[in-house]
Amino acid sequence: MGLHDLPPFPIPVDKFIEEVESDDASTAAECCAAFATLATKVPVPRDFRGACRSVMELVERTGNGFGRATKESASAAMAALLACVPGADKHMVQRGVVGKLVAIAVADEEDGEGDETPAAADGTSGTTRRGGVNGMGSLTLNALECIRILAASEHGVSELMKNDEAMDFATRRCDSGDARIAECACDVLCALASHGVAHRTRVKNVGGVGALARALARHGGVDEEVALRALLGLAMTCAQDADAQAELVRVDGAVPALLAAQRSGRDAACGISKDLWGSIGKNQTLKKAAMEALRADVERARLVESA
């Protein structure tokens, strides 16, 4: 089936905006959740750019039943708009979308408001797909997904190059216990670093190397997707940079995880980790530190086993 053979989008933009702006919280939430799901199946018309303002306002709406469920559905719809509608990134960035997303996600993490049936940008609901963080990860995940999409767009990149709050938000979540959140946070750093030297420097300056190394150490043996993204980010930020390589080596568990990735048998992970090992091995000081880290890891494992 070709693009022209696909069915038309079933919700007109004016009807969508009307329901998003409804005074009934469940109507607004259900409309956004339906839109986020439909956007993965049917091409979204360009005129849905006109819905950006309404969806952004819904994310911040409170009272009268407007709580976490509506914020999660609205942020999932925002991710769909950013991913599918040309110009939505510029429209939202100009209206402060990044700051709004970070603020609502951080507030949700801090106060744990108890609404149910969260809607995530990947279409899941309830607790997060891989166990979640006490069932409260979807708003953070949706915020990160929006930022990840923006990190690949012209207007989003320029915003992230100057928005320290957003970069700190992503960096701090690279080693989250929720693998979905860790994966998306690592994706943000990878997407930004891929744009060039200045962007890689930006990632390093906000602590990205340490964050990616911690993600590798925590998830390397249990989640291939997180590990691969962490390795990709480390490859981009540590190549030809002894200071960044030293930061990688200093993170507890990162060196053993790097060695495990090289021995994993997975082509991409093996290739990236081999290159990183090669770079580290060229510096005798770093090579010595890496070997000491491996010996310390072996000793810890021995002590645990004998306890």
Side-chain angles (χ1 to χ4, degrees):
M1 179 181 288
L3 181 62
H4 297 293
D5 299 319
L6 293 171
F9 201 77
I11 307 174
V13 66
D14 55 349
K15 178 65 174 176
F16 176 67
I17 292 173
E18 178 185 337
E19 294 193 3
V20 168
E21 294 179 352
S22 171
D23 289 331
D24 182 79
S26 61
T27 296
E30 289 168 9
C31 177
C32 285
F35 172 79
T37 300
L38 286 167
T40 66
K41 305 176 186 300
V42 183
V44 182
R46 288 174 175 267
D47 59 2
F48 267 79
R49 185 172 57 181
C52 290
R53 178 186 59 79
S54 298
V55 175
M56 286 180 63
E57 289 176 354
L58 179 59
V59 166
E60 296 184 295
R61 196 168 177 180
T62 58
N64 297 320
F66 290 88
R68 187 199 298 161
T70 50
K71 294 179 190 297
E72 286 175 333
S73 294
S75 57
M78 288 170 65
L81 286 167
L82 286 168
C84 303
V85 180
D89 58 334
K90 179 180 180 180
H91 196 89
M92 290 194 192
V93 166
Q94 289 176 339
R95 287 159 178 77
V97 66
V98 175
K100 295 178 192 296
L101 286 166
V102 171
I104 61 169
V106 170
D108 182 66
E109 290 174 345
E110 290 175 349
D111 66 30
E113 185 184 347
D115 291 341
E116 297 181 352
T117 62
D122 66 354
T124 60
S125 61
T127 56
T128 51
R129 176 168 55 91
R130 297 180 186 162
V133 279
N134 300 321
M136 292 171 49
S138 291
L139 190 49
T140 292
L141 180 63
N142 289 354
L144 283 168
E145 176 63 10
C146 289
I147 295 170
R148 182 196 67 78
I149 296 168
L150 288 169
S153 78
E154 176 187 355
H155 300 285
V157 168
S158 61
E159 173 65 19
L160 293 176
M161 286 296 285
K162 60 187 180 184
N163 191 316
D164 293 338
E165 187 178 31
M167 291 302 298
D168 182 70
F169 175 72
T171 301
R172 287 177 178 272
R173 284 154 185 81
C174 285
D175 64 339
S176 168
D178 183 331
R180 284 197 312 171
I181 290 174
E183 180 181 327
C184 201
C186 290
D187 261 341
V188 171
L189 301 190
C190 287
L192 189 61
S194 69
H195 289 284
V197 174
H199 304 83
R200 289 191 285 276
T201 299
R202 169 70 165 157
V203 170
K204 287 185 276 192
N205 287 346
V206 298
V209 172
L212 291 162
R214 288 189 293 274
L216 178 63
R218 181 165 194 170
H219 294 281
V222 293
D223 194 289
E224 294 181 12
E225 294 302 319
V226 179
L228 181 58
R229 284 158 175 77
L231 285 167
L232 285 168
L234 289 168
M236 286 188 280
T237 52
C238 292
Q240 311 303 319
D241 188 329
D243 290 338
Q245 293 165 16
E247 187 175 355
L248 162 61
V249 170
R250 285 195 297 268
V251 173
D252 285 344
V255 171
L258 189 61
L259 181 60
Q262 186 175 343
R263 295 173 174 175
S264 67
R266 300 188 298 272
D267 290 346
C270 287
I272 297 169
S273 54
K274 183 178 180 180
D275 288 344
L276 282 169
W277 267 117
S279 297
I280 291 170
K282 292 176 182 177
N283 183 312
Q284 290 304 309
T285 300
L286 289 180
K287 183 178 180 180
K288 180 180 178 181
M291 297 308 295
E292 289 174 352
L294 287 173
R295 283 192 290 270
D297 186 69
V298 170
E299 180 62 18
R300 279 194 297 268
R302 187 188 66 78
L303 291 173
V304 170
E305 189 174 317
S306 61

